[in-house]
Amino acid sequence: MDQQNAHYSNDELLDRLKNGDLQAFDALYKKYFKLLAVSAFYFLKDESEAYDLTQNLFMDIWEKKLYENFHEDLKGYLFLAIRNRCFNAIKARERKIEKQLEYQLMYTDRFIEEDLEGADRNYSVLLSRLMERLKGQRKTALNLVYFQKKKYSEAAEEMGIGVNSLKTHLKSALKVLRKGAKNEN
């Protein structure tokens, strides 16, 4: 691309993009890629993910003709688009972590139930003794979810914490109970 094409104004870029001009797309890429990647890194704190997300934005701009949605504020559109993609990536990350925690809790629940059922001692006596070892929010979380049968969201709200924090407390509590149940055998 020649030097002249690299210095399109945003208005010229918009006009030329809407006419399918590949040189205008190249100019847009060169003008905004680094700025958008830095902006994405600010949100994601992961250089590789920020780069990939920015690269995907530009691919979508050309392949899905997102440039047809561009209006007067080209720079504003691009920064809003990268910010939204970052938020979506963060939400996806959080959903993945939440599913992993749920799986771990489910897996841990099975072990604690097996451990307690397999114990020769009276279940309620053993459970009471093990519950005494728990302190603070671990004990509260376990009590609300397993004994009062509250949903994670209800228990988290009552404790004034997030659902992920609640799950972390439950996981820690179940680990203590499981370890205690094994030691009691």
Side-chain angles (χ1 to χ4, degrees), residues 109-124 126-127 130 177 181-182 185:
D109 287 351
R110 282 193 203 133
F111 276 114
I112 192 68
E113 287 172 12
E114 289 170 12
D115 290 342
L116 291 175
E117 286 172 9
D120 293 330
R121 298 191 174 106
N122 182 320
Y123 173 76
S124 61
L126 176 60
L127 187 57
L130 293 174
L177 292 179
K182 284 182 182 178
N185 285 334

Side-chain angles (χ1 to χ4, degrees), residues 116 125-134 177 180-181 184:
L116 291 175
V125 172
L126 176 60
L127 187 57
S128 294
R129 191 176 320 136
L130 293 174
M131 286 290 290
E132 289 173 14
R133 296 181 187 173
L134 296 175
L177 292 179
E184 292 286 329

Side-chain angles (χ1 to χ4, degrees), residues 44 49 53 83-95:
L44 301 172
E49 188 177 12
L53 203 82
R83 187 195 74 176
N84 289 342
R85 286 173 182 242
C86 288
F87 287 162
N88 289 339
I90 290 167
K91 285 179 188 174
R93 221 190 266 169
E94 289 171 351
R95 280 192 303 273

Side-chain angles (χ1 to χ4, degrees), residues 10 18 34 40 45 63-64 92 110-111 131 133-135 139 141 153 169 173 178:
N10 283 349
K18 288 183 179 184
K34 287 181 183 176
K45 308 294 187 240
E63 291 173 0
K64 295 180 180 178
R110 282 193 203 133
F111 276 114
M131 286 290 290
R133 296 181 187 173
L134 296 175
K135 303 288 183 229
K139 189 173 191 172
S153 57
H169 289 304
R178 187 173 71 224

Side-chain angles (χ1 to χ4, degrees), residues 17-179:
L17 278 170
K18 288 183 179 184
N19 289 319
D21 186 337
L22 186 57
Q23 286 184 331
F25 175 75
D26 288 341
L28 176 76
Y29 183 90
K30 287 180 179 179
K31 186 173 185 177
Y32 287 107
F33 183 85
K34 287 181 183 176
L35 291 171
L36 293 172
V38 168
S39 180
F41 177 76
Y42 172 79
F43 290 109
L44 301 172
K45 308 294 187 240
D46 181 307
E47 186 176 345
S48 177
E49 188 177 12
Y51 180 88
D52 290 346
L53 203 82
T54 307
Q55 189 71 32
N56 288 337
L57 171 63
F58 277 97
M59 286 174 36
D60 287 348
I61 286 171
W62 187 253
E63 291 173 0
K64 295 180 180 178
K65 298 184 179 187
L66 295 181
Y67 54 80
E68 292 176 354
N69 298 327
F70 293 176
H71 298 290
E72 293 177 18
D73 187 11
L74 174 62
K75 186 176 181 179
Y77 177 92
L78 293 172
F79 278 94
L80 185 62
I82 201 70
R83 187 195 74 176
N84 289 342
R85 286 173 182 242
C86 288
F87 287 162
N88 289 339
I90 290 167
K91 285 179 188 174
R93 221 190 266 169
E94 289 171 351
R95 280 192 303 273
K96 182 179 178 183
I97 291 169
E98 188 172 311
K99 285 182 189 241
Q100 288 172 338
L101 277 173
E102 284 176 12
Y103 176 76
Q104 288 172 343
L105 284 172
M106 181 180 71
Y107 191 69
T108 304
D109 287 351
R110 282 193 203 133
F111 276 114
I112 192 68
E113 287 172 12
E114 289 170 12
D115 290 342
L116 291 175
E117 286 172 9
D120 293 330
R121 298 191 174 106
N122 182 320
Y123 173 76
S124 61
V125 172
L126 176 60
L127 187 57
S128 294
R129 191 176 320 136
L130 293 174
M131 286 290 290
E132 289 173 14
R133 296 181 187 173
L134 296 175
K135 303 288 183 229
Q137 291 190 312
R138 288 179 182 175
K139 189 173 191 172
T140 304
L142 198 71
N143 184 38
L144 290 172
V145 172
Y146 290 99
F147 297 106
Q148 295 182 26
K149 304 288 186 197
K150 294 194 178 200
K151 293 181 180 178
Y152 287 168
S153 57
E154 294 171 337
E157 186 177 326
E158 189 171 319
M159 292 175 67
I161 60 175
V163 172
N164 286 337
S165 295
L166 174 85
K167 290 177 182 179
T168 301
H169 289 304
L170 283 172
K171 181 181 173 190
S172 297
L174 290 170
K175 187 182 274 187
V176 169
L177 292 179
R178 187 173 71 224
K179 185 177 178 184

